[in-house]
Amino acid sequence: MEDPLSHNRQVWTIFLDAATDPQSPMPPEMRSNMIGLCRFVINQCMRLLFEPDPKKLDLMIEINQHIAAGLRGREGSDLPKAEPRKPEMAAS
């Protein structure tokens, strides 16, 4: 689980850098929301590395799916919900 979480953290760090850039064209409210979401996801990645929790992993997957859908111009309501993980899968 370390490699995917590390990669996810790197992607969200890029989003955070873009949102905190003074030259960002994002409206202030959107920037603030994006910064908060980035911090949440980065922190969750770190927590999951030290304390794996399948339910929190499912939340991370859903957030990533919705952000990806938004970047593709889809609203995300047509995305399937992440299947709950079994506890024994989280330890592998």
Side-chain angles (χ1 to χ4, degrees):
M1 220 166 62
E2 186 176 336
D3 287 341
L5 286 171
S6 177
H7 177 74
N8 197 52
R9 194 174 67 243
Q10 289 173 342
V11 169
W12 281 92
T13 299
I14 292 169
F15 289 158
L16 181 60
D17 288 343
T20 57
D21 182 348
Q23 302 299 318
S24 173
M26 283 188 268
E29 185 177 354
M30 182 185 291
R31 286 176 62 173
S32 178
N33 291 341
M34 192 66 187
I35 290 167
L37 182 58
C38 290
R39 288 180 176 161
F40 171 79
V41 171
I42 291 166
N43 287 335
Q44 284 297 103
C45 286
M46 295 304 295
R47 283 187 188 114
L48 284 167
L49 283 171
F50 295 106
E51 297 176 19
D53 182 339
K55 291 179 183 172
K56 290 179 183 173
L57 186 58
D58 291 340
L59 175 62
M60 299 288 292
I61 291 167
E62 285 190 46
I63 290 171
N64 286 343
Q65 287 176 330
H66 284 279
I67 292 296
L71 291 172
R72 287 190 308 266
R74 296 167 45 196
E75 65 182 59
S77 61
D78 58 341
L79 293 173
K81 288 193 72 82
E83 290 295 321
R85 307 253 178 267
K86 295 180 183 175
E88 63 271 10
M89 291 178 71
S92 56

